[in-house]
Amino acid sequence: MRNVLFFCLTIAALSGCTNPGIVKLSSDTYMLSREAHGGIFASASALKAGVINDANAFAESQGKVAVPLSASEKPMGNGPAQWASFEYQFRVVDKNDPEVRRTSLVPRADVVIEKTEKITADVKTRDQTDRPKDVYAELIKLDDLRKRGILTEAEFETQKGKLLEGQ
């Protein structure tokens, strides 16, 4: 008799802890999670369908619609008490809310890392017009052009004068 009583209390404790029902996350956002304790005989699709149906029924009881936000599932593990589970997060919105028309779940990252950092940068672009000319290098170029016969002596003197005036 004591064994039967212990067994019943254990089952009641386990079932009470594993399926908490609908949990309110914010003013219009809820979560429903459930584990399948049927082992290899449990149906993953039945588990998902049951959770989604319960979420829809919850929204309908308020005269609203359940809009899926995210869903995650874990398959049954190899060890003891590693049951298959399904977690479903949803928003409860009015039937005429634009969110009702969305038909697919948006994939969300398992982990989100945010880093807020203020960065200042002193970025300067090269502006060829503001850069002072290298007068010596320009004079060498002009002299080279004069020596090759591309510039006459008069053209060389004119360009040389312009370079030296701009300095």
Side-chain angles (χ1 to χ4, degrees):
M1 179 69 172
R2 285 178 45 191
N3 288 341
V4 172
L5 181 60
F6 176 75
F7 180 75
C8 289
L9 289 174
T10 303
I11 295 297
L14 286 175
S15 64
C17 295
T18 57
N19 295 320
I22 295 176
V23 178
K24 187 173 188 173
L25 300 176
S26 69
S27 62
D28 66 349
T29 306
Y30 299 86
M31 176 184 71
L32 181 58
S33 62
R34 193 166 294 149
E35 290 182 342
H37 294 182
I40 61 171
F41 302 107
S43 167
S45 59
L47 175 66
K48 292 179 204 177
V51 168
I52 294 170
N53 283 336
D54 289 351
N56 290 336
F58 173 76
E60 283 180 25
S61 71
Q62 298 178 14
K64 297 185 177 192
V65 177
V67 176
L69 295 176
S70 71
S72 64
E73 61 184 293
K74 287 193 306 188
M76 186 179 85
N78 292 334
Q82 292 182 350
W83 309 110
S85 65
F86 183 68
E87 180 182 285
Y88 184 65
Q89 291 184 11
F90 59 99
R91 286 185 56 222
V92 175
V93 297
D94 290 323
K95 293 178 182 183
N96 57 359
D97 191 297
E99 285 286 312
V100 174
R101 287 183 287 222
R102 191 181 66 165
T103 58
S104 63
L105 291 175
V106 177
R108 295 185 358 186
D110 292 336
V111 176
V112 176
I113 299 172
E114 290 185 27
K115 182 177 181 182
T116 305
E117 186 175 326
K118 187 173 184 176
I119 298 173
T120 58
D122 187 21
V123 179
K124 294 182 181 178
T125 59
R126 281 198 249 172
D127 189 3
Q128 300 297 332
T129 58
D130 293 334
R131 190 176 71 156
K133 292 182 180 179
D134 183 4
V135 176
Y136 180 72
E138 293 295 320
L139 285 173
I140 291 174
K141 288 179 189 175
L142 286 174
D143 186 47
D144 184 52
L145 292 173
R146 180 179 54 99
K147 287 179 183 175
R148 291 181 180 191
I150 297 172
L151 291 179
T152 64
E153 189 66 36
E155 292 171 330
F156 171 76
E157 291 298 325
T158 305
Q159 293 299 323
K160 177 180 156 185
K162 287 181 183 178
L163 271 175
L164 293 175
E165 284 175 15
Q167 186 182 14

